[in-house]
Amino acid sequence: RLEHVVPAQSVAVDVFFSAIDSLKKDCPAIAGGNVKPAFTQGFTFGVDVAFATKTAGIGTEIGIGVDIEGNKFCYVGACVVSGRTFGPNPNSANAEPGLAISGFKSMSSVAGECSLIDAGIEVNLPTPLKIQGSTGLTYLDGSGLGDFIGVQYPMSLSNADPVPGAEVSFSKGMCCA
């Protein structure tokens, strides 16, 4: 059983099931037919490098998911991105773990390739907390912006860079699972 593989995520699975029940009741147009929306929770690890305002990165994600019918699954994925970052630290390199919560139009959209557009913000507090946190919103599409696959809410927390402040980033890339 999936709960025995990752026991700490059984709470997340319960939350997903609750969301699915609400979706079935309140949104029959979304929850009906052959399309089976899915929700995932993944642990991420990414590495990115910024020079001036240009940034590039690579990351991986491993997690669990559940579709509208309650079918559970595991997945592994990887992404590459490039874009622009604006903030006080123009030259940096980061390696950080994180968490990603995603909603997909269909369970079948989780596996395969997709493109992404991401907008993010990062806050760096070197004193007194010595932490850096980031979040954003990622739009996932198939063969173009009109081919919606899903959305993702990524989050991470790590050690702070020595330069305090906030950064805003915009990137695009591709993923496969």
Side-chain angles (χ1 to χ4, degrees):
R1 293 185 43 101
L2 188 59
E3 293 85 10
H4 299 296
V5 175
V6 188
Q9 288 194 347
S10 63
V11 172
V13 171
D14 292 341
V15 170
F16 287 148
F17 279 133
S18 180
I20 286 168
D21 288 341
S22 294
L23 193 60
K24 282 181 178 178
K25 278 191 292 189
D26 300 335
C27 305
I30 294 173
N34 293 330
V35 176
K36 295 181 181 178
F39 303 93
T40 64
Q41 178 187 356
F43 292 104
T44 64
F45 185 78
V47 176
D48 63 276
V49 177
F51 180 74
T53 63
K54 294 186 178 187
T55 186
I58 187 167
T60 188
E61 180 177 339
I62 183 169
I64 61 166
V66 62
D67 73 3
I68 200 85
E69 299 288 320
N71 300 310
K72 301 174 193 173
F73 58 93
C74 297
Y75 67 94
V76 175
C79 296
V80 292
V81 296
S82 65
R84 299 284 184 173
T85 299
F86 305 97
N89 193 2
N91 303 318
S92 65
N94 292 311
E96 54 190 34
L99 180 69
I101 298 171
S102 306
F104 290 89
K105 179 173 107 175
S106 170
M107 180 177 162
S108 63
S109 300
V110 177
E113 292 183 10
C114 70
S115 296
L116 68 88
I117 296 176
D118 180 75
I121 186 165
E122 183 172 279
V123 177
N124 192 25
L125 303 170
T127 349
L129 301 176
K130 297 184 180 176
I131 61 168
Q132 172 177 303
S134 64
T135 188
L137 188 62
T138 305
Y139 176 86
L140 306 168
D141 66 84
S143 58
L145 287 176
D147 186 14
F148 173 77
I149 289 179
V151 293
Q152 183 176 72
Y153 176 63
M155 309 160 260
S156 68
L157 199 58
S158 62
N159 288 330
D161 285 335
V163 180
E167 292 181 354
V168 176
S169 64
F170 303 94
S171 58
K172 62 181 181 173
M174 70 158 295
C175 298
C176 61

